[in-house]
Amino acid sequence: MVNQEAALEGPAKGKPNRLTRNLSSKIAALPMILTALVIFVGCTVWTIVYSFTNSRLLPKENFIGFDQYERLWGSSRWITSITNLMWYGVSSLVLTLVIGFTLAALLDRKIRFENTFRSIFLFPFALSFIVTGLVWQWILNPDFGVQGVVRSWGWESFSFDPLYNPDIVIFGVLIAGIWQGSGLIMCIMLAGLRGIDEDIWKATRVDGIGTIKTYVLVIIPMMRPVFITSLVLIAAGIIKLYDLVVAQTSGGPGLSSQVPAMYVYDYMFKAQNLGQGFAASTMMLLSVVIILIPYIYLQFKGTNRG
């Protein structure tokens, strides 16, 4: 009995302390941890605190409660920005996932020149948003873009100028966003599809299950982590939408293509109203938190199950 207790206690005594385990790795990571805490967390808290002040050109510790947030949600420009972001976000989320997965599924059929097609589809992601915006500004220009080319062919009544129509301008921005982002999602989806065991496909063929039904009922549920990662990446790009709008429309016509990031920039650096800019930044941060919480929950839930 004594020997058994000693055997049980032996490994416990020799077990290293959690604080000193991998000490060199922890010391090496310390500068990055401090940087994240001081710059990211510290500046985030600082922004939230000063969003409750009437800071103008310089920060002031004159707290005014929720007045900045009341002005924010009473501003028609902010409401327009949020509405545009919602339209852009929902459309981009759905279409980018569908297009990315469809392209990945087609490439997964091991077609000829797969590497060439994959490079072509991924190429737009290598461009900056400014370049993408300028390219699509030219393509959608009614004088020498798609509309001008089609009319030169004799179809004089053809009209396609989304960037100059206040009612649909955000969808002109959406075209450029989907063109640039679908390639990355395609690669992520393709990696997920290549991780599916070939025996699963063989089993579905034996059972007589069609290809589309196999994707919907078998493959897509197995790729849940891949879809979650893709959703987070797309959502992060949606919230920080700025470059495309600036390059294509500069927020116009009028204020019809305004987005929250433009609102923050204009109030902090042009209108010199730091308090209002901080309030808008805090609302954008809240949007990011709302997206990350379900993601973190699903990740930890999957880890605990594993």
Side-chain angles (χ1 to χ4, degrees):
M1 187 70 177
V2 175
N3 293 335
Q4 292 179 353
E5 292 178 357
L8 292 174
E9 293 177 1
K13 290 181 179 179
K15 188 176 181 180
N17 192 337
R18 288 186 176 182
L19 293 176
T20 58
R21 188 187 304 171
N22 299 325
L23 185 60
S24 58
S25 301
K26 293 176 180 177
I27 293 174
L30 194 60
M32 183 59 67
I33 295 172
L34 292 176
T35 301
L37 289 176
V38 174
I39 296 179
F40 180 74
V41 178
C43 291
T44 299
V45 172
W46 188 84
T47 299
I48 295 173
V49 169
Y50 278 87
S51 69
F52 295 97
T53 67
N54 64 347
S55 301
R56 300 289 298 183
L57 178 61
L58 296 173
K60 296 180 182 178
E61 296 181 357
N62 186 13
F63 291 92
I64 56 175
F66 289 92
D67 287 2
Q68 294 288 8
Y69 293 92
E70 291 178 3
R71 295 192 191 101
L72 181 69
W73 288 102
S75 169
S76 59
R77 181 179 175 183
W78 175 254
I79 299 299
T80 300
S81 300
I82 294 296
T83 303
N84 286 336
L85 193 66
M86 288 177 61
W87 279 109
Y88 179 93
V90 173
S91 303
S92 178
L93 205 62
V94 174
L95 293 176
T96 304
L97 276 177
V98 171
I99 294 173
F101 182 80
T102 302
L103 293 175
L106 293 174
L107 291 178
D108 191 47
R109 312 307 292 179
K110 297 180 174 58
I111 61 175
R112 294 182 63 186
F113 307 111
E114 175 191 330
N115 293 335
T116 303
F117 284 115
R118 188 168 60 228
S119 300
I120 292 172
F121 294 144
L122 187 59
F123 173 74
F125 186 73
L127 302 176
S128 69
F129 283 108
I130 293 295
V131 173
T132 299
L134 290 175
V135 168
W136 279 96
Q137 184 191 55
W138 298 334
I139 294 174
L140 299 177
N141 188 287
D143 295 326
F144 50 83
V146 174
Q147 177 177 296
V149 171
V150 174
R151 287 188 177 184
S152 67
W153 293 344
W155 192 358
E156 296 293 338
S157 61
F158 179 79
S159 178
F160 186 68
D161 57 345
L163 297 183
Y164 297 84
N165 187 337
D167 296 328
I168 60 172
V169 61
I170 197 64
F171 296 104
V173 178
L174 176 67
I175 294 172
I178 293 175
W179 180 76
Q180 184 171 38
S182 296
L184 175 65
I185 302 304
M186 177 207 68
C187 288
I188 295 173
M189 294 292 180
L190 184 59
L193 288 171
R194 291 288 163 83
I196 302 295
D197 194 340
E198 187 64 27
D199 291 337
I200 294 175
W201 285 104
K202 294 178 181 178
T204 56
R205 294 191 194 101
V206 171
D207 293 337
I209 303 175
T211 303
I212 296 178
K213 197 172 182 180
T214 301
Y215 276 115
V216 174
L217 299 180
V218 180
I219 303 302
I220 291 178
M222 293 180 65
M223 293 176 59
R224 187 174 69 93
V226 178
F227 275 91
I228 292 174
T229 301
S230 300
L231 284 171
V232 171
L233 290 175
I234 297 171
I238 290 169
I239 291 174
K240 62 182 183 182
L241 175 66
Y242 177 80
D243 312 59
L244 279 177
V245 178
V246 171
Q248 287 186 273
T249 66
S250 297
L255 299 176
S256 57
S257 61
Q258 290 286 316
V259 290
M262 290 190 68
Y263 187 96
V264 172
Y265 179 85
D266 288 347
Y267 269 87
M268 290 184 67
F269 299 105
K270 292 183 179 180
Q272 298 179 351
N273 190 339
L274 290 180
Q276 186 68 186
F278 289 155
S281 300
T282 304
M283 297 308 302
M284 292 180 67
L285 175 64
L286 182 62
S287 302
V288 175
V289 171
I290 292 172
I291 292 171
L292 287 180
I293 287 177
Y295 172 73
I296 295 172
Y297 171 76
L298 291 172
Q299 289 292 98
F300 274 99
K301 187 178 179 181
T303 304
N304 292 335
R305 285 181 177 178

